[in-house]
Amino acid sequence: LLSLLSTGQSTEIDSMKQLLPRQIGVKRLNTLLGLAYQLYGYNIDDAHRYALEALKEAKKNKNKPGEKHALTLIGEYYYNLSDTKKAREFLRQADQISLKDGGKLYTAYNYVIAANIYLGEPNIDSAKVCFEKALKLLEYENHYEIKYYSYFCYASLLFDQNQLDDSKKVLEDLYAS
C-alpha cells in the first residue's frame, strides 16, 4: 500500500513539474506551492527551492495567500534542519500577513509549524494554543492533506500527554468533517 501511495504521489509531482514551464501567474504560483508542499516528503532541498521560487512569484503577483504559504514552507524547511531561529523568522514574516489577506488555510498551517517548534523546546502549553487556533481555522477547510496533518499532530501531542479521550475526539472531529 505504501508503495502505491508513493507512486501516486510521485506521479502527481511529475505532472506538476511538466506543467510548470507552460504556466504563468497564479497557476504557476499554485503549482510551485504544490510542488514545495509535496516534495517535503521526498527531497527537502528541492522543496525549499520551489518554496523560494513561489515566494518570488507571489510577491510579483501581489498574492498574499501565496506569499504567506511560501513563507511558511520556507520556515518549515528551516524547522526540518533544526534551525529554529530562521524557522521562527520566516513564520513571523508569514504571520505579518493578516488572516484576511492570507486566508484561514495558510494561517492555520503556519500555526501548526509553530506548534511543532514549540514541541521541540518543549513548550507544550504554547504548542497546544497554536494547534487549537489552527484546528479552529481548519474546521471548514477542504485541503485534506494540511487538515489531516494538523489534526494528526495535535492528536499525537494529546496522546503523548495521556489525554486519550481528547486525542480520540480530535481524530473523530477530523473524520466527521
Side-chain angles (χ1 to χ4, degrees):
L1 180 62
L2 187 57
S3 104
L4 286 174
L5 290 173
S6 178
T7 302
Q9 190 92 9
S10 179
T11 302
E12 183 179 357
I13 290 169
D14 290 343
S15 295
M16 285 191 280
K17 285 180 179 179
Q18 289 174 2
L19 286 172
L20 199 55
R22 299 185 302 272
Q23 293 180 319
I24 59 171
V26 174
K27 284 188 178 190
R28 180 175 176 75
L29 171 61
N30 288 335
T31 300
L32 289 166
L33 290 168
L35 280 166
Y37 182 80
Q38 296 295 329
L39 280 167
Y40 270 105
Y42 295 97
N43 184 325
I44 191 169
D45 292 322
D46 281 351
H48 181 61
R49 185 173 49 82
Y50 283 113
L52 290 170
E53 194 173 337
L55 180 58
K56 287 179 192 170
E57 192 74 27
K59 286 182 176 185
K60 182 173 89 176
N61 290 294
K62 296 178 177 35
N63 184 299
K64 290 298 186 182
E67 184 178 343
K68 184 168 198 145
H69 192 41
L71 288 165
T72 300
L73 290 168
I74 295 166
E76 183 176 12
Y77 170 78
Y78 287 108
Y79 160 73
N80 284 318
L81 295 178
S82 298
D83 187 341
T84 55
K85 184 176 179 183
K86 272 192 172 179
R88 283 184 190 283
E89 174 55 28
F90 282 98
L91 294 177
R92 187 196 60 73
Q93 288 178 46
D95 199 42
Q96 296 299 309
I97 298 171
S98 71
L99 174 62
K100 179 182 173 209
D101 291 339
K104 290 181 180 181
L105 178 67
Y106 300 137
T107 300
Y109 193 62
N110 193 9
Y111 282 136
V112 170
I113 302 303
N116 285 331
I117 290 171
Y118 283 128
L119 288 175
E121 292 180 347
N123 187 338
I124 303 301
D125 291 339
S126 293
K128 282 183 180 180
V129 168
C130 287
F131 278 128
E132 289 167 1
K133 287 180 180 181
L135 269 52
K136 184 175 174 96
L137 291 172
L138 289 169
E139 190 173 354
Y140 299 106
E141 288 293 325
N142 293 324
H143 192 293
Y144 190 73
E145 290 171 327
I146 289 176
K147 193 171 186 175
Y148 178 83
Y149 176 73
S150 303
Y151 277 72
F152 184 77
C153 286
Y154 187 42
S156 296
L157 167 63
L158 294 172
F159 184 84
D160 290 345
Q161 297 292 307
N162 263 345
Q163 297 175 14
L164 305 180
D165 290 338
D166 292 337
S167 178
K168 180 181 173 187
K169 170 114 176 63
V170 167
L171 293 175
E172 287 171 346
D173 290 348
L174 170 64
Y175 295 118
S177 63

